[in-house]
Short mmCIF file of all heavy atoms in Angstrom, two decimals:
data_model
loop_
_atom_site.label_atom_id
_atom_site.label_comp_id
_atom_site.label_asym_id
_atom_site.label_seq_id
_atom_site.Cartn_x
_atom_site.Cartn_y
_atom_site.Cartn_z
N ILE A 869 34.38 -0.75 -1.21
CA ILE A 869 33.36 -1.52 -1.95
C ILE A 869 32.60 -0.54 -2.83
O ILE A 869 32.13 0.50 -2.34
CB ILE A 869 32.35 -2.18 -0.97
CG1 ILE A 869 33.04 -2.83 0.22
CG2 ILE A 869 31.42 -3.12 -1.72
CD1 ILE A 869 33.65 -4.16 0.01
N THR A 870 32.43 -0.89 -4.09
CA THR A 870 31.70 -0.01 -4.99
C THR A 870 30.34 -0.62 -5.28
O THR A 870 30.24 -1.60 -6.00
CB THR A 870 32.47 0.17 -6.31
OG1 THR A 870 32.49 -1.08 -7.00
CG2 THR A 870 33.90 0.62 -6.06
N GLY A 871 29.28 -0.08 -4.72
CA GLY A 871 27.94 -0.59 -4.97
C GLY A 871 27.37 -1.31 -3.76
O GLY A 871 28.00 -2.22 -3.21
N ALA A 872 26.16 -0.88 -3.33
CA ALA A 872 25.52 -1.48 -2.15
C ALA A 872 24.35 -2.36 -2.57
O ALA A 872 23.22 -2.19 -2.10
CB ALA A 872 25.07 -0.39 -1.18
N GLY A 873 24.61 -3.29 -3.50
CA GLY A 873 23.64 -4.35 -3.79
C GLY A 873 23.97 -5.55 -2.90
O GLY A 873 24.83 -5.46 -2.02
N PRO A 874 23.34 -6.70 -3.13
CA PRO A 874 23.61 -7.87 -2.30
C PRO A 874 25.08 -8.29 -2.33
O PRO A 874 25.65 -8.66 -1.29
CB PRO A 874 22.73 -8.97 -2.93
CG PRO A 874 21.65 -8.22 -3.63
CD PRO A 874 22.24 -6.93 -4.09
N GLY A 875 25.72 -8.23 -3.51
CA GLY A 875 27.13 -8.62 -3.61
C GLY A 875 28.01 -7.71 -2.79
O GLY A 875 28.78 -8.15 -1.91
N GLY A 876 27.91 -6.41 -3.03
CA GLY A 876 28.77 -5.43 -2.35
C GLY A 876 28.52 -5.40 -0.86
O GLY A 876 29.46 -5.33 -0.05
N MET A 877 27.25 -5.44 -0.46
CA MET A 877 26.97 -5.35 0.98
C MET A 877 27.50 -6.59 1.71
O MET A 877 27.98 -6.48 2.84
CB MET A 877 25.47 -5.18 1.23
CG MET A 877 25.00 -3.75 0.90
SD MET A 877 23.40 -3.35 1.65
CE MET A 877 22.28 -4.24 0.59
N CYS A 893 30.78 2.81 -1.31
CA CYS A 893 30.22 3.96 -2.02
C CYS A 893 29.08 3.48 -2.91
O CYS A 893 29.20 2.44 -3.56
CB CYS A 893 31.27 4.74 -2.79
SG CYS A 893 31.92 3.92 -4.23
N GLU A 894 27.99 4.18 -2.87
CA GLU A 894 26.77 3.77 -3.59
C GLU A 894 26.29 4.95 -4.44
O GLU A 894 26.08 6.04 -3.94
CB GLU A 894 25.71 3.32 -2.57
CG GLU A 894 24.30 3.21 -3.10
CD GLU A 894 24.12 2.32 -4.33
OE1 GLU A 894 24.63 1.19 -4.35
OE2 GLU A 894 23.46 2.78 -5.30
N LYS A 895 26.12 4.66 -5.72
CA LYS A 895 25.76 5.71 -6.69
C LYS A 895 24.40 6.36 -6.39
O LYS A 895 24.21 7.55 -6.55
CB LYS A 895 25.70 5.05 -8.06
CG LYS A 895 25.73 5.96 -9.26
CD LYS A 895 25.62 5.04 -10.50
CE LYS A 895 26.22 5.60 -11.73
NZ LYS A 895 26.20 4.64 -12.86
N SER A 896 23.44 5.54 -5.95
CA SER A 896 22.09 6.06 -5.73
C SER A 896 21.96 6.51 -4.27
O SER A 896 22.92 6.48 -3.51
CB SER A 896 21.06 4.96 -6.02
OG SER A 896 21.09 3.98 -5.01
N GLN A 898 19.96 4.95 -2.23
CA GLN A 898 19.40 3.82 -1.47
C GLN A 898 20.25 2.57 -1.65
O GLN A 898 20.91 2.40 -2.69
CB GLN A 898 17.98 3.51 -1.96
CG GLN A 898 16.98 4.60 -1.58
CD GLN A 898 15.63 4.38 -2.22
OE1 GLN A 898 15.54 4.17 -3.43
NE2 GLN A 898 14.58 4.43 -1.43
N VAL A 899 20.17 1.66 -0.69
CA VAL A 899 20.84 0.37 -0.83
C VAL A 899 19.92 -0.59 -1.60
O VAL A 899 18.73 -0.36 -1.71
CB VAL A 899 21.17 -0.29 0.54
CG1 VAL A 899 22.09 0.58 1.36
CG2 VAL A 899 19.89 -0.64 1.32
N GLY A 900 20.52 -1.64 -2.11
CA GLY A 900 19.69 -2.76 -2.60
C GLY A 900 19.80 -3.07 -4.07
O GLY A 900 19.71 -4.23 -4.47
N GLY A 901 19.95 -2.02 -4.92
CA GLY A 901 20.07 -2.25 -6.36
C GLY A 901 18.96 -3.15 -6.87
O GLY A 901 17.84 -3.17 -6.34
N THR A 902 19.28 -3.91 -7.91
CA THR A 902 18.29 -4.83 -8.49
C THR A 902 17.89 -5.88 -7.47
O THR A 902 16.77 -6.41 -7.51
CB THR A 902 18.90 -5.51 -9.75
OG1 THR A 902 19.52 -4.51 -10.54
CG2 THR A 902 17.83 -6.21 -10.56
N GLY A 903 18.81 -6.17 -6.55
CA GLY A 903 18.51 -7.17 -5.51
C GLY A 903 17.25 -6.83 -4.73
O GLY A 903 16.52 -7.73 -4.29
N SER A 904 16.97 -5.54 -4.56
CA SER A 904 15.81 -5.16 -3.75
C SER A 904 14.50 -5.46 -4.49
O SER A 904 13.45 -5.56 -3.88
CB SER A 904 15.88 -3.68 -3.38
OG SER A 904 15.89 -2.93 -4.56
N THR A 905 14.58 -5.59 -5.81
CA THR A 905 13.36 -5.87 -6.59
C THR A 905 13.23 -7.37 -6.88
O THR A 905 12.32 -7.79 -7.56
CB THR A 905 13.40 -5.12 -7.94
OG1 THR A 905 14.41 -5.71 -8.78
CG2 THR A 905 13.73 -3.66 -7.76
N SER A 906 14.20 -8.16 -6.39
CA SER A 906 14.25 -9.58 -6.74
C SER A 906 13.40 -10.42 -5.79
O SER A 906 12.88 -9.91 -4.80
CB SER A 906 15.71 -10.07 -6.67
OG SER A 906 16.10 -10.24 -5.33
N ALA A 907 13.33 -11.71 -6.11
CA ALA A 907 12.61 -12.62 -5.21
C ALA A 907 13.48 -12.99 -4.00
O ALA A 907 12.99 -13.57 -3.03
CB ALA A 907 12.19 -13.88 -5.95
N GLY A 908 14.77 -12.68 -4.08
CA GLY A 908 15.64 -12.89 -2.92
C GLY A 908 16.03 -14.34 -2.68
O GLY A 908 16.57 -14.68 -1.62
N THR A 909 15.78 -15.23 -3.63
CA THR A 909 16.09 -16.65 -3.43
C THR A 909 17.57 -16.92 -3.71
O THR A 909 18.14 -16.36 -4.65
CB THR A 909 15.22 -17.51 -4.38
OG1 THR A 909 13.87 -17.09 -4.25
CG2 THR A 909 15.34 -18.98 -4.08
N LEU A 910 18.17 -17.79 -2.90
CA LEU A 910 19.59 -18.16 -3.08
C LEU A 910 19.67 -19.66 -3.36
O LEU A 910 19.17 -20.46 -2.55
CB LEU A 910 20.39 -17.89 -1.81
CG LEU A 910 21.00 -16.51 -1.57
CD1 LEU A 910 19.92 -15.46 -1.46
CD2 LEU A 910 21.84 -16.52 -0.30
N TRP A 911 20.30 -20.04 -4.46
CA TRP A 911 20.50 -21.46 -4.78
C TRP A 911 21.78 -21.90 -4.09
O TRP A 911 22.88 -21.50 -4.48
CB TRP A 911 20.62 -21.60 -6.30
CG TRP A 911 20.43 -22.99 -6.85
CD1 TRP A 911 19.25 -23.66 -6.92
CD2 TRP A 911 21.42 -23.83 -7.45
NE1 TRP A 911 19.45 -24.88 -7.54
CE2 TRP A 911 20.76 -25.02 -7.87
CE3 TRP A 911 22.79 -23.71 -7.68
CZ2 TRP A 911 21.44 -26.06 -8.51
CZ3 TRP A 911 23.45 -24.75 -8.32
CH2 TRP A 911 22.77 -25.91 -8.73
N ARG A 1010 15.77 0.49 -1.09
CA ARG A 1010 15.08 0.68 -2.37
C ARG A 1010 13.85 -0.23 -2.40
O ARG A 1010 13.94 -1.42 -2.11
CB ARG A 1010 16.01 0.30 -3.52
CG ARG A 1010 15.51 0.70 -4.89
CD ARG A 1010 16.37 0.09 -5.98
NE ARG A 1010 17.64 0.73 -6.17
CZ ARG A 1010 17.91 1.61 -7.13
NH1 ARG A 1010 16.99 1.94 -8.00
NH2 ARG A 1010 19.12 2.13 -7.23
N ILE A 1013 9.53 -3.38 -7.32
CA ILE A 1013 8.76 -2.75 -8.39
C ILE A 1013 7.30 -2.60 -7.94
O ILE A 1013 6.80 -3.42 -7.17
CB ILE A 1013 8.84 -3.52 -9.74
CG1 ILE A 1013 8.37 -4.97 -9.60
CG2 ILE A 1013 10.22 -3.47 -10.31
CD1 ILE A 1013 8.31 -5.73 -10.92
N TYR A 1016 4.74 -5.41 -7.62
CA TYR A 1016 4.87 -6.44 -6.58
C TYR A 1016 4.14 -6.04 -5.30
O TYR A 1016 4.09 -6.80 -4.36
CB TYR A 1016 6.34 -6.72 -6.27
CG TYR A 1016 7.01 -7.68 -7.22
CD1 TYR A 1016 6.39 -8.10 -8.39
CD2 TYR A 1016 8.27 -8.19 -6.95
CE1 TYR A 1016 7.00 -8.98 -9.27
CE2 TYR A 1016 8.90 -9.08 -7.82
CZ TYR A 1016 8.26 -9.46 -8.97
OH TYR A 1016 8.87 -10.34 -9.82
N GLY A 1068 13.48 -10.19 -2.03
CA GLY A 1068 14.74 -9.46 -2.17
C GLY A 1068 14.83 -8.25 -1.25
O GLY A 1068 15.90 -7.87 -0.79
N VAL A 1072 18.02 -7.42 1.25
CA VAL A 1072 18.87 -6.22 1.27
C VAL A 1072 18.69 -5.45 2.57
O VAL A 1072 19.64 -4.84 3.08
CB VAL A 1072 18.66 -5.33 0.02
CG1 VAL A 1072 18.95 -6.10 -1.24
CG2 VAL A 1072 17.28 -4.69 -0.03
N THR A 1090 27.24 8.58 -4.29
CA THR A 1090 28.68 8.65 -4.58
C THR A 1090 29.06 7.52 -5.52
O THR A 1090 29.09 6.36 -5.13
CB THR A 1090 29.49 8.53 -3.27
OG1 THR A 1090 29.04 9.54 -2.36
CG2 THR A 1090 30.98 8.69 -3.51
N ALA A 1091 29.33 7.88 -6.77
CA ALA A 1091 29.62 6.86 -7.78
C ALA A 1091 31.11 6.56 -7.88
O ALA A 1091 31.94 7.48 -7.87
CB ALA A 1091 29.12 7.32 -9.14
N PHE A 1092 31.42 5.28 -7.96
CA PHE A 1092 32.79 4.87 -8.28
C PHE A 1092 33.07 5.29 -9.73
O PHE A 1092 32.27 5.05 -10.62
CB PHE A 1092 32.90 3.36 -8.12
CG PHE A 1092 34.04 2.76 -8.90
CD1 PHE A 1092 35.34 2.94 -8.50
CD2 PHE A 1092 33.78 2.03 -10.06
CE1 PHE A 1092 36.39 2.40 -9.24
CE2 PHE A 1092 34.82 1.49 -10.80
CZ PHE A 1092 36.12 1.67 -10.38
N LYS A 1093 34.28 5.91 -9.93
CA LYS A 1093 34.59 6.41 -11.27
C LYS A 1093 35.79 5.70 -11.89
O LYS A 1093 35.77 5.33 -13.05
CB LYS A 1093 34.95 7.91 -11.23
CG LYS A 1093 33.92 8.80 -10.61
CD LYS A 1093 32.91 9.23 -11.65
CE LYS A 1093 31.99 10.31 -11.09
NZ LYS A 1093 30.71 10.35 -11.73
N ALA A 1125 31.36 -4.04 -7.35
CA ALA A 1125 30.04 -4.67 -7.14
C ALA A 1125 28.97 -3.72 -7.67
O ALA A 1125 27.96 -3.46 -7.01
CB ALA A 1125 29.84 -4.97 -5.66
N THR A 1126 29.23 -3.20 -8.87
CA THR A 1126 28.33 -2.17 -9.41
C THR A 1126 27.19 -2.75 -10.25
O THR A 1126 26.54 -2.05 -11.01
CB THR A 1126 29.12 -1.12 -10.23
OG1 THR A 1126 29.71 -1.77 -11.39
CG2 THR A 1126 30.21 -0.46 -9.42
N GLY A 1127 26.94 -4.06 -10.11
CA GLY A 1127 25.70 -4.63 -10.65
C GLY A 1127 25.72 -5.01 -12.12
O GLY A 1127 24.68 -5.36 -12.67
N GLY A 1128 26.87 -4.94 -12.77
CA GLY A 1128 26.94 -5.40 -14.16
C GLY A 1128 26.65 -4.31 -15.18
O GLY A 1128 26.44 -3.15 -14.84
N MET A 1149 15.69 -5.49 -16.63
CA MET A 1149 15.08 -5.36 -15.30
C MET A 1149 16.06 -4.76 -14.29
O MET A 1149 15.72 -4.60 -13.12
CB MET A 1149 14.62 -6.72 -14.79
CG MET A 1149 13.42 -7.31 -15.50
SD MET A 1149 11.94 -6.28 -15.45
CE MET A 1149 11.57 -6.25 -13.69
N ALA A 1150 17.28 -4.45 -14.72
CA ALA A 1150 18.27 -3.92 -13.78
C ALA A 1150 17.96 -2.46 -13.44
O ALA A 1150 17.40 -1.73 -14.26
CB ALA A 1150 19.67 -4.01 -14.38
N VAL A 1151 18.37 -2.04 -12.24
CA VAL A 1151 18.18 -0.63 -11.88
C VAL A 1151 19.04 0.23 -12.82
O VAL A 1151 20.08 -0.20 -13.32
CB VAL A 1151 18.56 -0.36 -10.40
CG1 VAL A 1151 17.61 -1.10 -9.48
CG2 VAL A 1151 20.01 -0.74 -10.09
N LEU A 1152 18.56 1.46 -13.05
CA LEU A 1152 19.17 2.31 -14.07
C LEU A 1152 20.62 2.67 -13.78
O LEU A 1152 21.41 3.00 -14.66
CB LEU A 1152 18.36 3.61 -14.23
CG LEU A 1152 16.96 3.40 -14.80
CD1 LEU A 1152 16.18 4.72 -14.79
CD2 LEU A 1152 17.03 2.82 -16.21
N GLU A 1153 21.00 2.61 -12.48
CA GLU A 1153 22.38 2.98 -12.10
C GLU A 1153 23.40 1.99 -12.65
O GLU A 1153 24.59 2.30 -12.72
CB GLU A 1153 22.51 3.02 -10.57
CG GLU A 1153 21.88 4.22 -9.91
CD GLU A 1153 20.38 4.08 -9.73
OE1 GLU A 1153 19.83 3.01 -10.08
OE2 GLU A 1153 19.75 5.06 -9.26
N ASN A 1154 22.97 0.78 -13.02
CA ASN A 1154 23.93 -0.26 -13.42
C ASN A 1154 24.41 -0.04 -14.85
O ASN A 1154 23.90 -0.65 -15.80
CB ASN A 1154 23.31 -1.65 -13.24
CG ASN A 1154 23.04 -1.98 -11.79
OD1 ASN A 1154 23.35 -1.18 -10.90
ND2 ASN A 1154 22.48 -3.13 -11.53
N THR A 1155 25.39 0.83 -15.00
CA THR A 1155 25.86 1.21 -16.33
C THR A 1155 27.25 0.63 -16.63
O THR A 1155 28.00 1.18 -17.44
CB THR A 1155 25.88 2.75 -16.46
OG1 THR A 1155 26.52 3.31 -15.31
CG2 THR A 1155 24.49 3.32 -16.57
N GLY A 1156 27.59 -0.44 -15.97
CA GLY A 1156 28.84 -1.13 -16.30
C GLY A 1156 30.09 -0.42 -15.82
O GLY A 1156 31.19 -0.68 -16.33
N ASP A 1157 29.96 0.44 -14.80
CA ASP A 1157 31.10 1.26 -14.37
C ASP A 1157 32.26 0.41 -13.85
O ASP A 1157 33.43 0.68 -14.15
CB ASP A 1157 30.68 2.25 -13.27
CG ASP A 1157 29.53 3.15 -13.73
OD1 ASP A 1157 29.29 3.20 -14.95
OD2 ASP A 1157 28.89 3.77 -12.87
N GLY A 1158 31.93 -0.62 -13.09
CA GLY A 1158 32.99 -1.47 -12.54
C GLY A 1158 33.70 -2.23 -13.65
O GLY A 1158 34.95 -2.30 -13.67
N LEU A 1179 20.74 -13.47 -18.27
CA LEU A 1179 19.83 -14.46 -17.68
C LEU A 1179 18.47 -13.79 -17.72
O LEU A 1179 18.33 -12.66 -17.26
CB LEU A 1179 20.28 -14.81 -16.27
CG LEU A 1179 21.72 -15.38 -16.22
CD1 LEU A 1179 22.28 -15.41 -14.82
CD2 LEU A 1179 21.78 -16.76 -16.85
N PRO A 1197 7.84 -8.82 -14.95
CA PRO A 1197 8.48 -10.09 -15.30
C PRO A 1197 7.51 -11.27 -15.09
O PRO A 1197 6.99 -11.44 -14.00
CB PRO A 1197 9.65 -10.16 -14.31
CG PRO A 1197 9.23 -9.33 -13.14
CD PRO A 1197 8.26 -8.30 -13.63
N ILE A 1199 7.45 -14.39 -14.22
CA ILE A 1199 8.36 -15.38 -13.66
C ILE A 1199 7.64 -16.68 -13.34
O ILE A 1199 8.00 -17.73 -13.87
CB ILE A 1199 9.10 -14.77 -12.45
CG1 ILE A 1199 10.11 -13.76 -13.01
CG2 ILE A 1199 9.79 -15.84 -11.61
CD1 ILE A 1199 11.10 -13.19 -12.06
N TYR A 1225 11.62 -19.05 -16.68
CA TYR A 1225 11.63 -17.74 -17.35
C TYR A 1225 12.82 -17.62 -18.28
O TYR A 1225 12.73 -17.07 -19.38
CB TYR A 1225 11.59 -16.60 -16.33
CG TYR A 1225 12.27 -16.92 -15.01
CD1 TYR A 1225 13.58 -16.50 -14.76
CD2 TYR A 1225 11.62 -17.65 -14.02
CE1 TYR A 1225 14.21 -16.81 -13.56
CE2 TYR A 1225 12.24 -17.97 -12.82
CZ TYR A 1225 13.54 -17.55 -12.59
OH TYR A 1225 14.16 -17.86 -11.41
N GLU A 1355 16.73 -8.95 -19.43
CA GLU A 1355 17.58 -9.71 -18.51
C GLU A 1355 17.27 -9.32 -17.07
O GLU A 1355 17.05 -8.15 -16.77
CB GLU A 1355 19.08 -9.57 -18.84
CG GLU A 1355 19.78 -8.36 -18.27
CD GLU A 1355 19.46 -7.12 -19.05
OE1 GLU A 1355 18.69 -7.17 -20.02
OE2 GLU A 1355 19.98 -6.04 -18.67
N ILE A 1356 17.20 -10.35 -16.19
CA ILE A 1356 17.09 -10.07 -14.76
C ILE A 1356 18.49 -9.99 -14.16
O ILE A 1356 18.68 -9.52 -13.05
CB ILE A 1356 16.22 -11.10 -14.01
CG1 ILE A 1356 16.76 -12.51 -14.17
CG2 ILE A 1356 14.78 -11.03 -14.47
CD1 ILE A 1356 16.09 -13.51 -13.24
N ALA A 1357 19.48 -10.49 -14.91
CA ALA A 1357 20.88 -10.39 -14.46
C ALA A 1357 21.77 -10.53 -15.69
O ALA A 1357 21.39 -11.19 -16.66
CB ALA A 1357 21.21 -11.50 -13.47
N CYS A 1358 22.94 -9.89 -15.63
CA CYS A 1358 23.92 -10.10 -16.70
C CYS A 1358 24.65 -11.40 -16.41
O CYS A 1358 24.88 -11.75 -15.25
CB CYS A 1358 24.94 -8.96 -16.73
SG CYS A 1358 24.20 -7.39 -17.11
N CYS A 1384 32.34 -9.06 -7.62
CA CYS A 1384 31.30 -10.02 -7.22
C CYS A 1384 29.96 -9.56 -7.77
O CYS A 1384 29.86 -8.51 -8.40
CB CYS A 1384 31.25 -10.17 -5.69
SG CYS A 1384 30.86 -8.66 -4.82
N GLY A 1385 28.92 -10.36 -7.53
CA GLY A 1385 27.61 -10.04 -8.11
C GLY A 1385 27.71 -10.06 -9.63
O GLY A 1385 28.46 -10.83 -10.22
N ASN A 1386 26.96 -9.20 -10.26
CA ASN A 1386 26.91 -9.20 -11.73
C ASN A 1386 28.14 -8.55 -12.38
O ASN A 1386 28.28 -8.60 -13.60
CB ASN A 1386 25.65 -8.48 -12.22
CG ASN A 1386 24.41 -9.34 -12.11
OD1 ASN A 1386 23.40 -9.05 -12.74
ND2 ASN A 1386 24.45 -10.39 -11.32
N ASP A 1387 29.02 -7.94 -11.60
CA ASP A 1387 30.29 -7.47 -12.18
C ASP A 1387 31.19 -8.66 -12.51
O ASP A 1387 32.09 -8.56 -13.33
CB ASP A 1387 31.01 -6.50 -11.23
CG ASP A 1387 30.47 -5.08 -11.35
OD1 ASP A 1387 29.58 -4.85 -12.19
OD2 ASP A 1387 30.93 -4.19 -10.59
N TYR A 1396 20.70 -21.30 -16.36
CA TYR A 1396 19.92 -20.93 -15.16
C TYR A 1396 19.41 -22.21 -14.51
O TYR A 1396 18.31 -22.67 -14.77
CB TYR A 1396 18.74 -20.04 -15.56
CG TYR A 1396 18.39 -19.04 -14.48
CD1 TYR A 1396 18.68 -17.69 -14.64
CD2 TYR A 1396 17.80 -19.43 -13.29
CE1 TYR A 1396 18.38 -16.77 -13.65
CE2 TYR A 1396 17.50 -18.53 -12.29
CZ TYR A 1396 17.79 -17.19 -12.48
OH TYR A 1396 17.49 -16.27 -11.48
N GLY A 1398 18.48 -23.11 -11.41
CA GLY A 1398 17.38 -23.19 -10.45
C GLY A 1398 17.16 -21.86 -9.77
O GLY A 1398 17.86 -20.87 -10.03
N PRO A 1399 16.17 -21.81 -8.86
CA PRO A 1399 15.85 -20.53 -8.21
C PRO A 1399 17.03 -20.03 -7.38
O PRO A 1399 17.55 -20.77 -6.56
CB PRO A 1399 14.67 -20.91 -7.30
CG PRO A 1399 14.79 -22.38 -7.06
CD PRO A 1399 15.40 -22.95 -8.31
N GLY A 1400 17.45 -18.79 -7.62
CA GLY A 1400 18.55 -18.23 -6.83
C GLY A 1400 19.90 -18.35 -7.50
O GLY A 1400 20.94 -18.27 -6.83
N THR A 1401 19.90 -18.50 -8.82
CA THR A 1401 21.13 -18.73 -9.59
C THR A 1401 22.15 -17.60 -9.49
O THR A 1401 23.35 -17.83 -9.59
CB THR A 1401 20.76 -18.96 -11.07
OG1 THR A 1401 20.10 -20.23 -11.16
CG2 THR A 1401 21.95 -18.95 -11.99
N THR A 1402 21.70 -16.37 -9.28
CA THR A 1402 22.67 -15.26 -9.26
C THR A 1402 22.97 -14.80 -7.83
O THR A 1402 24.10 -14.45 -7.51
CB THR A 1402 22.21 -14.05 -10.09
OG1 THR A 1402 21.15 -13.39 -9.42
CG2 THR A 1402 21.75 -14.47 -11.46
N LEU A 1403 21.96 -14.83 -6.96
CA LEU A 1403 22.21 -14.32 -5.61
C LEU A 1403 23.03 -15.30 -4.77
O LEU A 1403 23.81 -14.88 -3.92
CB LEU A 1403 20.88 -14.00 -4.91
CG LEU A 1403 20.17 -12.76 -5.46
CD1 LEU A 1403 18.77 -12.63 -4.87
CD2 LEU A 1403 20.96 -11.49 -5.15
N GLY A 1404 22.85 -16.60 -5.02
CA GLY A 1404 23.69 -17.57 -4.30
C GLY A 1404 25.16 -17.25 -4.52
O GLY A 1404 25.91 -16.94 -3.57
N PRO A 1405 25.62 -17.26 -5.79
CA PRO A 1405 27.03 -16.91 -6.05
C PRO A 1405 27.39 -15.48 -5.62
O PRO A 1405 28.53 -15.24 -5.19
CB PRO A 1405 27.14 -17.07 -7.58
CG PRO A 1405 26.09 -18.08 -7.93
CD PRO A 1405 24.96 -17.81 -6.98
N ALA A 1406 26.46 -14.52 -5.71
CA ALA A 1406 26.80 -13.13 -5.32
C ALA A 1406 27.22 -13.09 -3.86
O ALA A 1406 28.22 -12.44 -3.49
CB ALA A 1406 25.60 -12.21 -5.56
C1 FAD B 121 12.31 -9.41 -10.82
C2 FAD B 121 13.65 -10.01 -10.46
C3 FAD B 121 13.68 -11.13 -9.66
C4 FAD B 121 14.93 -11.70 -9.35
N1 FAD B 121 14.94 -12.74 -8.49
C5 FAD B 121 16.11 -13.33 -8.20
C6 FAD B 121 16.16 -14.39 -7.26
O1 FAD B 121 15.19 -14.75 -6.61
N2 FAD B 121 17.36 -15.01 -7.07
C7 FAD B 121 18.48 -14.63 -7.74
O2 FAD B 121 19.53 -15.28 -7.57
N3 FAD B 121 18.49 -13.55 -8.56
C8 FAD B 121 17.33 -12.89 -8.78
N4 FAD B 121 17.33 -11.78 -9.57
C9 FAD B 121 18.62 -11.23 -10.06
C10 FAD B 121 19.33 -10.45 -8.92
O3 FAD B 121 18.48 -9.45 -8.45
C11 FAD B 121 20.65 -9.81 -9.41
O4 FAD B 121 21.43 -10.78 -10.05
C12 FAD B 121 21.40 -9.25 -8.20
O5 FAD B 121 20.67 -8.21 -7.62
C13 FAD B 121 22.80 -8.76 -8.58
O6 FAD B 121 23.41 -8.25 -7.43
P1 FAD B 121 24.53 -7.13 -7.54
O7 FAD B 121 24.93 -6.81 -6.15
O8 FAD B 121 25.56 -7.55 -8.50
O9 FAD B 121 23.79 -5.89 -8.26
P2 FAD B 121 22.61 -4.95 -7.81
O10 FAD B 121 21.68 -5.66 -6.92
O11 FAD B 121 22.00 -4.36 -9.02
O12 FAD B 121 23.35 -3.80 -7.00
C14 FAD B 121 24.29 -2.95 -7.65
C15 FAD B 121 24.42 -1.66 -6.86
O13 FAD B 121 25.53 -0.92 -7.38
C16 FAD B 121 25.17 0.45 -7.50
N5 FAD B 121 26.04 1.07 -8.51
C17 FAD B 121 26.01 0.99 -9.86
N6 FAD B 121 27.04 1.69 -10.40
C18 FAD B 121 27.75 2.20 -9.36
C19 FAD B 121 28.92 3.01 -9.26
N7 FAD B 121 29.59 3.44 -10.35
N8 FAD B 121 29.37 3.37 -8.04
C20 FAD B 121 28.71 2.97 -6.90
N9 FAD B 121 27.58 2.22 -6.95
C21 FAD B 121 27.12 1.83 -8.16
C22 FAD B 121 23.70 0.39 -7.88
O14 FAD B 121 23.05 1.63 -7.59
C23 FAD B 121 23.20 -0.76 -7.00
O15 FAD B 121 22.80 -0.31 -5.73
C24 FAD B 121 16.12 -11.16 -9.87
C25 FAD B 121 16.07 -10.01 -10.65
C26 FAD B 121 14.85 -9.43 -10.94
C27 FAD B 121 14.82 -8.18 -11.76
#
Side-chain angles (χ1 to χ4, degrees):
I869 315 281
T870 67
M877 285 198 284
C893 71
E894 164 55 47
K895 197 181 206 175
S896 72
Q898 290 173 309
V899 300
T902 313
S904 60
T905 70
S906 76
T909 310
L910 273 63
W911 197 72
R1010 191 190 284 259
I1013 57 174
Y1016 277 10
V1072 301
T1090 304
F1092 158 73
K1093 304 273 189 205
T1126 64
M1149 289 302 296
V1151 295
L1152 293 174
E1153 285 80 4
N1154 294 358
T1155 48
D1157 303 344
L1179 301 166
I1199 288 190
Y1225 31 98
E1355 84 283 1
I1356 58 169
C1358 296
C1384 61
N1386 282 198
D1387 277 357
Y1396 212 108
T1401 290
T1402 72
L1403 288 171

